[in-house]
Amino acid sequence: MLAMGKPRVIYWFRTDLRLHDSPALKAALDLNPGVLWPIFTWDPHYVYRVKGGVNRWQYLLDCQTDLSESIKKLNSNSRLFVLREAPQTLLPKLFKAWNVTHLVFEKDTDAYARERDKIVVELAKKSGVQVITRYGRTLWDSDEVVAKNGGKPTMSFTQLQVTGQKVGEIPRPIPAPKHLPDPGDMPVGFKQDKPETEPDLNAPYRGETDKTYSHIAGPTGDFSIATLEELGFSAPATTPHRGGETIALKKLQEIFSDEEYAATFQKPKTSPAAFEPQSTTLLSPMLHFGALSPRLFYWRAQDLVKKYGKGASTPPESLTGQLLFRDMYFAAQAAIGSAFVQTVNNEYCRFIPWHLPSKMEPTDVGNNAISGEYHVDSPQAEEWFLRWKAGVTGFPFVDALMRQLCAEGWIHHLGRHMVACFLTRGGCYVHWERGADVFEEWLLDHEPACNAGNWQWLSCTAFYSQYYRCYSPVAFGQKWDKKGEFIRKWVPELKDLDEKFIYEPWKATKSALDKAGVKIEGDGLHEKKDGTYPAPMFDFGERRSVCLAAMKRAYSIGLHGGDNKVKNGTWKELFEKAGETEMEGLGGSDVHGKEGPMDRYAKKRKRST
């Protein structure tokens, strides 16, 4: 029988799906609660308003299932109880129905989640429920980093390191609990608030009826983990990668059992063409869902480096360096807010008049990009973007990477560099937000802060400015994989092609193509025939020169996303005066009287066919 007056605590799991090194969970248990409910709520914002492919949904369900099993091992009466309703409407009803005294959760870092949590905290106060939060997603509390940096975002690795030292030493990880209290009764006789399901950005994946919110406690009323079928997804996941704290800790142990690999790890020296196994840890999705603590990872690496001594790698290339980069992006997002993931209103992001700019909508905090919606200012740029996404650019290394990303939800960090540079300043001159949209949809480890930050870095709009350093879609792959084994796996049309031509099949002789059983024809998007591989979208050397010249002019003009000229459209006058022709609006059917490189390229291709 429960002692009278003991705290009745809801522990709200979100992106912290683990038991080890959980400061928020420890805070909940330090209350010595009479009852503790470990819950997860399906937030409609993430179900419908954030793009996510089936691979990432499956990974999330893996993490939830594993966590629930781990909770059961600590208390057979408990598990992860999953409720189907928006937390903003659900939690006040739970406070009353379950007679809750405390709500405890780990602080989130994403712009939407921070606003949602403010609302939840206010609702809890009105209900007389005490709220306790702790940070745990990052090495340092992002808000503390911003405060120590004078309220400004951390826009460089060194800035993060210096500011982090001001915050203090990264805390050591704490052990997982050995026992959890019983949950109390869980009546849900109240009316369920159904969410607005439109627009549903994940509708293309839902081939079945979406039953996510059919029953507040799930289809059998037992608060079970959802299934892909319940979420309306008809096709199974195609990724071989599975999620969960148990797997994460096992992988971590395997990585550090090879002391030389872990202590001397240098990210730029790992191969983007390696597979089975890959050349990096592949723990980033575990960090995203919180199945692995970044502090545990950091201190395992740091302690090993100290023990290893001479020859150990150092940040930013080392394992600890990768975690520090992550903190840099998180703190930048914490300072800038929702504008961090776009150009407009982001005063730290350079304005480049890329093709295929995002459509905007007014909000309480200014104009925001509408996820996935954009202006087709150039049919040529649109074709290039679609071919890039489909992995049919005609550049085999680019195509192999994009196909791996679509199928597995992951590609090597340097592979991400390659395809991002190619889409933006290194060939297509397409807006980095288009690439970020695709990564948001496909990556298992999609982290809004890291995704936007990396795309800004690679497009040289923030964090990095050496725009003249471009990745070659031919030479970069050859550096790692001369025989083209990675291409042969992911672009099977070319699997039998002589290695002399594997990176440049358009240069192959007719006899070499015949021997490989492949023809170079078409664009890969329309009327694709078996035994064919598309011609390259463009002359890379030519496009690189065009993009570099355009980047140079944009840098000299020097606009940023927060400038009024960007917001009101008068930026065009500055670029036209500078003689720019490679920019948004030139190369499109809605443009009259001017011809840009896109138009000239399209005419040139038409004459040659």
Side-chain angles (χ1 to χ4, degrees):
M1 194 168 174
L2 294 174
M4 292 297 292
K6 277 198 167 189
R8 298 171 63 82
V9 180
I10 285 180
Y11 187 82
W12 181 17
F13 280 101
R14 297 107 65 85
T15 49
D16 57 327
L17 301 176
R18 67 180 183 277
L19 295 178
H20 75 275
D21 190 35
S22 175
L25 182 58
K26 181 180 184 301
L29 296 175
D30 284 349
L31 295 169
N32 190 26
V35 294
L36 180 112
W37 294 280
I39 73 165
F40 183 96
T41 68
W42 280 111
D43 187 332
H45 173 81
Y46 293 107
V47 175
Y48 300 115
R49 311 290 184 261
V50 175
K51 278 198 249 181
V54 176
N55 285 334
R56 189 157 79 246
W57 285 104
Q58 181 60 62
Y59 203 94
L60 168 58
L61 298 179
D62 288 344
C63 291
Q64 291 180 351
T65 300
D66 182 74
L67 173 62
S68 192
E69 289 300 317
S70 296
I71 291 171
K72 278 186 196 174
K73 289 175 183 175
L74 296 183
N75 184 337
S76 59
N77 295 324
S78 190
R79 61 182 183 279
L80 182 64
F81 300 104
V82 179
L83 294 106
R84 283 79 166 162
E85 187 174 327
Q88 299 94 320
T89 57
L90 172 68
L91 288 170
K93 290 182 282 192
L94 295 187
F95 297 154
K96 184 177 180 181
W98 297 2
N99 194 20
V100 175
T101 62
H102 294 75
L103 172 68
V104 186
F105 57 86
E106 181 182 275
K107 286 172 64 175
D108 208 323
T109 52
D110 295 343
Y112 159 77
R114 287 158 74 94
E115 291 303 312
R116 174 200 62 197
D117 292 349
K118 284 180 186 176
I119 294 169
V120 168
V121 169
E122 284 303 311
L123 292 169
K125 284 180 181 176
K126 289 178 182 177
S127 299
V129 172
Q130 184 179 342
V131 178
I132 298 173
T133 66
R134 297 286 186 271
Y135 90 92
R137 291 202 75 198
T138 47
L139 300 176
W140 291 288
D141 186 329
S142 297
D143 291 328
E144 286 191 45
V145 172
V146 173
K148 293 292 185 182
N149 198 40
K152 296 180 179 179
T154 46
M155 300 303 292
S156 73
F157 189 84
T158 302
Q159 206 170 52
L160 184 278
Q161 286 181 301
V162 171
T163 308
Q165 287 173 359
K166 294 178 183 176
V167 174
E169 187 175 48
I170 295 164
R172 288 271 176 178
I174 57 179
K178 295 181 179 179
H179 176 73
L180 292 177
D182 283 341
D185 292 337
M186 294 181 287
V188 287
F190 46 77
K191 183 177 181 286
Q192 180 190 20
D193 286 86
K194 306 265 185 176
E196 176 57 57
T197 61
E198 297 295 335
D200 179 6
L201 300 185
N202 296 310
Y205 291 104
R206 296 191 214 275
E208 304 292 336
T209 303
D210 173 16
K211 299 178 182 176
T212 309
Y213 298 95
S214 295
H215 307 279
I216 195 165
T220 54
D222 59 353
F223 305 94
S224 59
I225 308 296
T227 62
L228 288 178
E229 291 74 22
E230 185 185 347
L231 296 166
F233 299 124
S234 52
T238 56
T239 181
H241 310 304
R242 315 315 300 184
E245 180 183 20
T246 303
I247 296 174
L249 294 176
K250 182 181 177 184
K251 278 188 175 182
L252 193 72
Q253 185 58 38
E254 289 171 356
I255 288 163
F256 286 99
S257 66
D258 185 343
E259 293 192 354
E260 183 178 0
Y261 169 83
T264 64
F265 180 91
Q266 289 179 283
K267 191 67 164 279
K269 293 184 179 180
T270 57
S271 171
F275 60 94
E276 296 174 2
Q278 74 289 336
S279 60
T280 53
T281 67
L282 226 165
L283 287 173
S284 51
M286 298 292 193
L287 290 167
H288 168 64
F289 288 111
L292 177 65
S293 157
R295 302 191 309 191
L296 176 64
F297 194 173
Y298 177 88
W299 280 110
R300 287 292 301 272
Q302 193 70 4
D303 290 343
L304 175 60
V305 163
K306 187 177 180 181
K307 171 187 168 186
Y308 195 84
K310 188 178 179 182
S313 56
T314 57
E317 293 90 358
S318 62
L319 285 176
T320 55
Q322 307 316 300
L323 294 168
L324 291 169
F325 265 122
R326 183 173 178 268
D327 259 50
M328 178 188 76
Y329 288 138
F330 273 74
Q333 184 190 40
I336 296 171
S338 61
F340 180 65
V341 298
Q342 62 187 42
T343 300
V344 175
N345 292 324
N346 184 349
E347 60 186 83
Y348 291 88
C349 183
R350 287 184 181 274
F351 173 75
I352 310 288
W354 312 104
H355 295 293
L356 311 185
S358 297
K359 291 183 178 180
M360 308 298 291
E361 64 179 351
T363 70
D364 293 339
V365 291
N367 285 340
N368 279 350
I370 304 173
S371 181
E373 294 190 25
Y374 57 92
H375 297 283
V376 180
D377 68 305
S378 162
Q380 182 65 76
E382 169 75 342
E383 181 188 318
W384 288 352
F385 170 56
L386 294 177
R387 287 182 64 175
W388 173 85
K389 183 177 181 180
V392 288
T393 65
F395 293 94
F397 190 57
V398 174
D399 294 343
L401 287 164
M402 293 306 294
R403 294 184 195 188
Q404 181 190 28
L405 174 60
C406 181
E408 297 194 343
W410 183 90
I411 50 175
H412 186 282
H413 189 67
L414 293 180
R416 301 180 197 197
H417 282 209
M418 167 74 250
V419 299
C421 181
F422 183 86
L423 182 68
T424 56
R425 62 187 172 86
C428 302
Y429 217 66
V430 164
H431 206 301
W432 65 264
E433 291 171 16
R434 301 288 69 72
D437 279 344
V438 173
F439 275 29
E440 176 186 319
E441 182 179 350
W442 287 351
L443 280 175
L444 294 174
D445 60 8
H446 171 253
E447 201 75 77
C450 297
N451 189 36
N454 279 324
W455 274 95
Q456 289 170 33
W457 183 301
L458 269 300
S459 62
C460 288
T461 49
F463 300 102
Y464 183 74
S465 59
Q466 296 178 33
Y467 61 82
Y468 46 84
R469 299 186 66 174
C470 281
Y471 290 88
S472 162
V474 175
F476 186 66
Q478 288 174 327
K479 173 185 175 182
W480 303 101
D481 180 21
K482 286 193 179 300
K483 293 185 178 180
E485 296 302 328
F486 182 71
I487 292 172
R488 295 178 201 283
K489 174 177 173 63
W490 291 106
V491 188
E493 307 96 299
L494 302 177
K495 68 182 188 327
D496 296 321
L497 190 60
D498 190 307
E499 67 182 70
K500 185 164 61 171
F501 305 115
I502 192 70
Y503 284 90
E504 301 173 284
W506 60 91
K507 291 185 177 180
T509 61
K510 186 176 184 303
S511 61
L513 292 172
D514 289 345
K515 186 177 179 182
V518 65
K519 292 181 179 180
I520 306 301
E521 63 178 53
D523 62 10
L525 288 178
H526 309 99
E527 299 181 8
K528 189 178 183 324
K529 300 175 186 174
D530 289 341
T532 65
Y533 180 73
M537 300 195 305
F538 45 62
D539 179 303
F540 172 69
E542 180 183 299
R543 285 299 305 167
R544 180 179 179 276
S545 297
V546 169
C547 290
L548 285 176
M551 291 292 290
K552 186 176 182 180
R553 279 188 286 272
Y555 263 62
S556 67
I557 291 170
L559 291 178
H560 287 76
D563 294 338
N564 285 329
K565 284 183 169 62
V566 171
K567 297 176 185 179
N568 63 27
T570 56
W571 61 265
K572 290 182 181 178
E573 297 168 13
L574 294 176
F575 281 83
E576 287 173 353
K577 188 176 180 180
E580 185 55 82
T581 55
E582 182 69 47
M583 66 181 189
E584 173 193 335
L586 292 185
S589 57
D590 58 337
V591 178
H592 304 283
K594 293 190 177 180
E595 185 180 74
M598 288 288 192
D599 304 282
R600 293 193 289 276
Y601 179 84
K603 288 181 179 178
K604 179 180 173 183
R605 284 298 300 269
K606 195 171 183 181
R607 286 196 299 269
S608 66
T609 55

